[in-house]
C-alpha cells in the first residue's frame, strides 16, 4: 500500500507486538465497507436496522462499563511532567510505552489488524493532517470511515514524509482497570487500550484533532479548538462565520445546525454548518483567522435530538449512520431515545439490550432510560441538509466571532462581549460549566473548563493561554471579536429561562451586528451586555422582565465568581500569563 519507510517500520513493530492473524488495509471503498458491515453483523458487533426506513444504518452496544470518555485514565506523556501541566494526568513516556506494550502484546491473536490511513481535513488541504490508526475493532473502522477521510490518496499526499500521527487501538479485554488513553505529543503517537467507545477509540477525533493537534498548533503557530463552525447568512446573502467552544454535551451540534425562527427565515436568514465539534484555525494571507473542520462526520449526542430541537441532525442520521447505545424499537427495527418523540416504544430493548418497560420510565432517574444519556449517532456530514459549500474546501472560512459558553444555572448572562482579544482570552480561561454524561463521573457539578479544552489540551494550560494571547497579537485588528453565551440559566425550580435551540439565532444576530458595529450594548463589570431591546423577541412567548433577568450581571454572584477564578488560576503557577492576572484584577476592581 505504501513505500513510506516510517510507516512500514512502525507497522512492522505493531505487527510484531500485536501478533494479528492477518492484516487488512482499509481503502474507503464501498465494496470493502459493505464487506465490513456484513462481518460486523455476523459477529454481533452491529445490529442491522430496518433498511427501508434507515438504509445503511446499524446499532452498536458497548460494554456497559465503557460508555463515555474516561478523563482519569487519559494521559499526556511528555518527557518533562511540567510540560503536561496541572490539568493533565502525566506519565514518563518510556514507562508508559512499556506498560501499554505489556497490555497490548499479543492482543490481536486470532484477530485481524485493520490499518486505516486517514486525513483530518480535506485530503491535500494545507490545513489538513494525516494519521494512521491500527485497530482490531470493525466498529472502529466503520466509524472512522464516517468521521474521517479514508483513502489510498492520503498515502500519496503523504509520500515519504514522517509528518503523520501514529494511532494504536486495541480492545484487549475492555477491562476498565487497564483502560488507558495515552498521548505522546513529542512522538506524534496515540495508544488506546481496553475501550471500544467513541472519543476513546476513534483516534482521529479528540486524541489527534485536539490533544496532539493542540500541541502541534502551539509549536507551529496555529490553533486546534473544541469548537463548532457555522456560517450565518443574512438577507443580503452575506455569510459571517462564527466558531464556538462549549464543553461536551453543551450544545455545539445543536447550534451548528440551527434553524432560525420562522420570522427570520422569511426575511432570508439561514445557518450553514461547517463543523460541530472541532476547528483547526490558521492566520490566512489577508491576516484573518481561517478555520476548517478536520472531521468528515458528526459523532452527536442522541438524547434530546428531535425534529424540533435539531431537524438537521435528525435528517443526517437517516442513512449510513451508526447508532451507539440507543434503544431498539423491535416493532420495526428502528431506534429510539429519550426526547425523540413522545411515543415511548412498547416493545423495545434498552441500550444494554434488555427489555424496556415504558411504565417504569421516570425522566429524573437515568437508570430507567431506554437510551444511555451519552448515546450517540455517527452520521456522515454529507447527509446534513445545511452542510456548507465550504465544508469540502481546504482553504477554510474566515472567522468573525469566537463564542465561549457553558451550562451555568446562575451567573453568566445570556450573552456578553469581551472588551478586546486579551479580555476575551480571560473570559475563555475562566469558563466554567456543569459536567455532563459525555465523560465518566458525576454529572451537574460546576467545574472550570477553559475554552472547553480542559479534557483536550495536549500541553500545559498556562502555555496554552500564552499561545492564545500570542495569536491575538499576530491577528491585531483583524482578530475575531470574542463573546460568551449561556443558554442554560434556570429559575428556582430548575426550568430553563431561555428557549434555546433555534431561538439562539436571536443572540447570534446580535453577535454579528456587534462585529459589524451595528448593535448597541451596555458596558458592565464583565464586558458589553445587550440592552434588552437589542435582542429581538418577535413571535416569542417571553416577557421583557425574564429577558432582563437573564441579561443581569449580579455583582454579588460575580464577586464570588472572581474569587473562584482566583483559586482556579493558582493551579497554573508562574506559567499563568501576567496579562490574565491583570485581567482578573480589573474584574475585581470593576465589581467593587
Ligand atoms: P459533544 O458532542 O459532547 O461535544 O456535545 P455538543 O456540545 O455538540 O452538545 P449537543 O449539541 O449534542 O447538545 C447536548 C445536549 O444539550 C442535548 O441534550 C441538547 O438537547 C441540549 N441542548 C443543546 N442546545 C440547547 C439549548 O440551546 N438549550 C437547552 N436547554 N438545551 C440545549
Ligand atoms: C465530547 O465528549 O466532547 C464528544 C464525544 O464530542 S467524544 O468523541 O466521545 O469525545
Ligand atoms: Mn465534543
Amino acid at each position: 500500500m505504501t513505500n513510506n519507510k516510517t510507516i512500514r517500520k512502525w507497522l512492522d513493530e505493531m505487527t510484531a507486538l500485536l501478533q494479528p492473524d492477518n492484516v487488512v488495509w482499509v481503502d474507503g471503498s464501498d465494496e470493502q465497507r459493505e464487506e465490513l458491515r456484513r462481518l460486523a453483523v455476523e459477529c454481533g458487533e452491529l445490529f442491522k436496522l430496518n433498511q427501508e426506513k434507515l438504509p445503511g444504518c446499524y446499532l452498536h452496544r458497548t460494554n456497559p462499563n465503557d460508555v463515555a470518555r474516561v478523563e482519569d485514565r487519559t494521559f499526556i506523556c511528555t518527557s518533562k511532567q511540567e510540560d503536561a501541566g496541572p490539568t493533565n494526568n502525566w506519565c514518563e513516556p518510556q514507562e508508559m510505552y512499556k506498560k501499554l506494550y505489556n497490555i497490548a502484546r499479543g492482543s490481536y491473536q486470532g484477530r485481524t489488524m485493520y490499518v486505516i490511513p486517514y486525513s483530518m481535513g480535506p485530503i491535500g488541504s494545507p490545513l489538513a493532517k494525516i494519521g494512521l490508526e491500527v485497530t482490531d475493532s470493525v466498529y472502529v473502522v466503520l466509524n472512522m470511515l464516517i468521521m474521517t477521510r479514508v483513502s489510498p490518496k492520503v498515502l500519496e499526499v503523504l509520500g515519504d514524509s514522517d509528518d503523520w500521527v501514529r494511532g494504536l487501538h486495541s480492545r484487549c479485554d475492555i477491562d476498565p482497570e487497564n483502560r488507558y488513553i495515552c498521548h505522546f505529543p513529542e512522538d506524534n503517537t496515540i495508544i488506546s487500550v481496553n475501550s471500544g467507545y467513541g472519543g476513546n477509540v476513534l483516534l482521529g477525533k479528540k486524541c489527534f484533532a485536539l490533544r496532539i493537534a493542540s500541541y502541534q498548533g502551539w509549536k507551529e503557530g496555529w490553533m486546534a479548538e473544541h469548537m463548532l463552525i457555522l456560517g450565518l447568512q443574512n438577507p443580503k446573502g452575506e455569510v459571517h462565520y462564527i466558531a464556538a467552544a462549549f464543553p461536551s454535551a453543551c450544545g455545539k451540534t445543536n447550534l451548528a445546525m440551527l434553524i432560525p425562527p420562522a420570522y427570520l427565515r422569511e426575511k432570508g436568514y439561514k445557518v450553514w454548518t461547517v463543523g460541530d465539534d472541532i476547528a483547526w484555525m490558521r492566520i490566512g494571507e489577508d491576516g484573518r483567522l481561517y478555520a476548517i473542520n478536520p472531521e468528515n462526520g458528526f459523532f452527536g449526542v442522541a438524547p434530546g435530538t428531535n425534529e424540533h430541537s435539531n431537524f438537521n441532525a435528525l435528517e443526517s442520521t437517516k442513512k449510513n449512520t451508526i447508532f451507539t447505545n440507543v434503544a431498539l424499537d423491535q416493532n420495526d427495527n428502528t431506534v429510539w431515545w429519550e426526547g425523540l418523540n413522545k411515543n415511548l416504544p412498547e416493545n423495545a430493548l434498552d441500550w444494554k439490550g434488555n427489555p424496556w418497560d415504558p411504565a417504569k420510565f421516570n425522566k429524573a432517574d437515568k437508570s430507567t432510560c431506554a437510551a444511555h444519556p451519552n448515546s450517540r449517532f455517527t452520521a456522515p456530514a454529507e447527509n446534513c441538509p445545511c452542510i456548507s459549500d465550504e465544508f469540502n474546501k481546504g482553504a477554510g472560512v474566515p472567522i468573525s466571532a469566537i463564542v465561549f459558553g457553558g451550562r451555568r444555572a446562575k451567573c453568566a448572562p445570556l450573552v456578553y462581549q469581551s472588551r478586546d482579544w486579551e479580555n476575551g482570552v480571560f473570559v475563555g480561561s475562566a469558563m466554567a460549566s456543569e459536567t455532563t454524561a459525555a465523560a465518566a463521573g458525576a454529572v451537574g457539578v460546576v467545574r472550570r473548563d477553559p475554552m472547553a479544552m480542559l479534557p483536550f489540551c495536549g500541553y500545559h494550560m498556562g502555555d496554552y493561554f500564552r499561545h492564545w494571547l500570542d495569536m491575538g497579537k499576530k491577528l491585531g485588528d483583524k482578530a475575531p471579536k470574542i463573546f460568551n453565551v449561556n443558554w442554560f440559566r434556570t429559575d428556582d425550580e430548575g426550568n430553563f429561562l431561555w428557549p434555546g435551540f433555534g431561538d439562539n439565532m436571536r443572540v447570534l444576530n446580535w453577535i454579528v451586528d456587534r462585529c459589524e458595529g451595528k448593535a448597541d450594548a451596555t458596558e458592565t463589570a464583565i464586558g458589553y451586555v445587550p440592552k434588552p431591546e437589542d435582542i429581538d423577541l418577535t413571535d416569542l412567548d417571553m416577557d421583557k422582565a425574564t429577558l432582563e433577568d437573564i441579561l443581569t450581571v449580579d455583582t454579588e454572584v460575580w464577586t464570588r465568581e472572581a474569587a473562584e477564578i482566583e483559586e482556579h488560576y493558582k493551579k497554573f503557577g508562574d506559567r499563568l500569563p501576567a496579562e490574565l492576572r491583570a485581567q482578573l484584577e480589573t474584574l475585581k476592581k470593576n465589581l467593587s
Side-chain angles (χ1 to χ4, degrees), residues 388-507:
S388 163
D389 281 345
E390 302 293 323
F391 171 74
N392 274 315
K393 296 189 189 152
V397 295
I399 299 298
S400 301
I402 287 176
V403 181
F404 295 121
R407 287 178 186 262
R408 295 305 296 274
K410 309 285 165 205
C411 199
L414 178 64
V415 58
Y416 64 103
Q417 182 184 1
S418 66
R419 290 190 183 79
D420 52 27
W421 181 275
E422 199 172 288
N423 180 234
V425 176
F426 170 71
V427 171
S429 75
M431 248 170 84
S433 190
E434 292 150 22
T435 51
T436 65
V443 168
V445 184
V446 174
R447 72 166 183 186
R448 298 283 143 192
D449 186 350
M451 284 84 170
M453 283 289 278
L454 180 72
F456 307 119
C457 184
Y459 59 107
H460 194 298
M461 269 229 155
D463 295 338
Y464 172 76
F465 299 151
R466 164 60 56 212
H467 181 46
W468 265 83
L469 293 168
D470 289 347
M471 288 298 290
K473 285 199 194 95
K474 285 188 206 154
L475 286 158
D477 59 5
K478 302 232 171 76
K481 303 280 183 282
I482 301 182
F483 298 79
N484 193 87
V485 299
N486 179 20
W487 317 135
F488 299 95
R489 284 271 280 254
T490 57
D491 61 16
D492 292 335
E493 278 84 55
N495 304 305
F496 293 119
L497 290 167
W498 176 250
F501 302 99
D503 289 308
N504 293 333
M505 183 71 181
R506 301 165 193 269
V507 174

Side-chain angles (χ1 to χ4, degrees), residues 69 197-200 205-206 226 248 252 277 299 376 438 456:
R69 286 181 293 99
Y197 182 78
N200 296 333
K205 195 174 176 57
K206 294 307 181 7
H226 192 199
S248 302
K252 289 183 300 301
D277 198 48
F299 186 60
R376 301 249 168 186
F456 307 119

Side-chain angles (χ1 to χ4, degrees), residues 52-96:
E52 257 146 56
K53 293 188 171 166
L54 296 167
C57 293
Y58 295 81
L59 168 67
H60 174 77
R61 296 190 189 105
T62 65
N63 188 307
N65 78 31
D66 186 30
V67 294
R69 286 181 293 99
V70 278
E71 295 178 4
D72 56 335
R73 311 205 63 91
T74 299
F75 287 74
I76 301 295
C77 306
T78 42
S79 339
K80 288 199 217 118
Q81 178 163 13
E82 64 198 67
D83 290 341
T87 56
N88 284 312
N89 299 310
W90 174 84
C91 181
E92 195 281 318
Q94 292 319 314
E95 188 184 328
M96 189 53 104

Side-chain angles (χ1 to χ4, degrees), residues 271-285:
V271 164
W272 300 104
T273 307
V274 181
D276 82 322
D277 198 48
I278 299 176
W280 283 1
M281 305 192 285
R282 265 177 210 268
I283 300 177
E285 275 167 21

Side-chain angles (χ1 to χ4, degrees), residues 428 557 562:
V557 172

Side-chain angles (χ1 to χ4, degrees), residues 514-547:
R514 286 294 294 173
C515 294
E516 304 249 277
K518 288 199 287 210
D520 207 358
T522 310
E523 184 160 7
T524 71
I526 62 171
Y528 303 106
V529 175
K531 296 195 161 68
E533 57 272 23
D534 297 325
I535 301 290
D536 189 347
L537 295 186
T538 304
D539 289 350
L540 202 59
D541 182 22
M542 181 180 215
D543 52 29
K544 210 159 164 204
T546 309
L547 180 62

Side-chain angles (χ1 to χ4, degrees), residues 216-511:
Q216 293 175 329
W218 174 46
K219 296 282 168 184
E220 297 166 10
W222 54 282
M223 305 166 93
E225 300 295 335
H226 192 199
M227 289 179 180
L228 69 94
I229 309 162
L230 65 81
L232 192 157
Q233 184 173 323
N234 66 21
K236 283 189 260 172
E238 299 159 345
V239 184
H240 291 93
Y241 293 93
I242 296 177
F246 312 153
S248 302
C250 289
K252 289 183 300 301
T253 302
N254 276 272
L255 192 69
M257 299 180 188
L258 173 155
I259 296 181
Y263 86 99
L264 288 172
R265 281 203 310 273
E266 280 153 20
K267 285 189 190 168
Y269 285 94
K270 172 142 184 63
V271 164
W272 300 104
T273 307
V274 181
D276 82 322
D277 198 48
I278 299 176
W280 283 1
M281 305 192 285
R282 265 177 210 268
I283 300 177
E285 275 167 21
D286 62 359
R288 298 186 66 188
L289 191 62
Y290 283 79
I292 63 161
N293 170 12
E295 302 191 277
N296 202 26
F298 311 118
F299 186 60
V301 178
T305 306
N306 61 55
E307 59 184 286
H308 306 291
S309 66
N310 196 344
F311 172 86
N312 289 314
L314 196 63
E315 278 300 299
S316 306
T317 66
K318 297 223 164 130
K319 57 180 188 207
N320 298 324
T321 292
I322 300 172
F323 297 92
T324 300
N325 294 339
V326 301
L328 173 68
D329 183 343
Q330 296 187 106
N331 283 336
D332 59 355
N333 280 339
T334 56
V335 286
W336 192 83
W337 50 77
E338 280 69 21
L340 174 63
N341 52 41
K342 297 211 163 73
N343 323 326
L344 308 197
E346 290 293 333
N347 182 21
L349 297 181
D350 69 11
W351 65 275
K352 293 181 184 164
N354 299 322
W356 183 67
D357 181 356
K360 291 199 184 123
F361 172 59
N362 161 15
K363 224 169 117 186
D365 178 0
K366 293 292 180 201
S367 70
T368 66
C369 285
H372 188 274
N374 190 38
S375 55
R376 301 249 168 186
F377 52 80
T378 319
E382 65 180 18
N383 286 0
C384 181
C386 58
I387 194 76
S388 163
D389 281 345
E390 302 293 323
F391 171 74
N392 274 315
K393 296 189 189 152
V397 295
I399 299 298
S400 301
I402 287 176
V403 181
F404 295 121
R407 287 178 186 262
R408 295 305 296 274
K410 309 285 165 205
C411 199
L414 178 64
V415 58
Y416 64 103
Q417 182 184 1
S418 66
R419 290 190 183 79
D420 52 27
W421 181 275
E422 199 172 288
N423 180 234
V425 176
F426 170 71
V427 171
S429 75
M431 248 170 84
S433 190
E434 292 150 22
T435 51
T436 65
V443 168
V445 184
V446 174
R447 72 166 183 186
R448 298 283 143 192
D449 186 350
M451 284 84 170
M453 283 289 278
L454 180 72
F456 307 119
C457 184
Y459 59 107
H460 194 298
M461 269 229 155
D463 295 338
Y464 172 76
F465 299 151
R466 164 60 56 212
H467 181 46
W468 265 83
L469 293 168
D470 289 347
M471 288 298 290
K473 285 199 194 95
K474 285 188 206 154
L475 286 158
D477 59 5
K478 302 232 171 76
K481 303 280 183 282
I482 301 182
F483 298 79
N484 193 87
V485 299
N486 179 20
W487 317 135
F488 299 95
R489 284 271 280 254
T490 57
D491 61 16
D492 292 335
E493 278 84 55
N495 304 305
F496 293 119
L497 290 167
W498 176 250
F501 302 99
D503 289 308
N504 293 333
M505 183 71 181
R506 301 165 193 269
V507 174
L508 296 184
N509 273 348
W510 182 78
I511 288 176

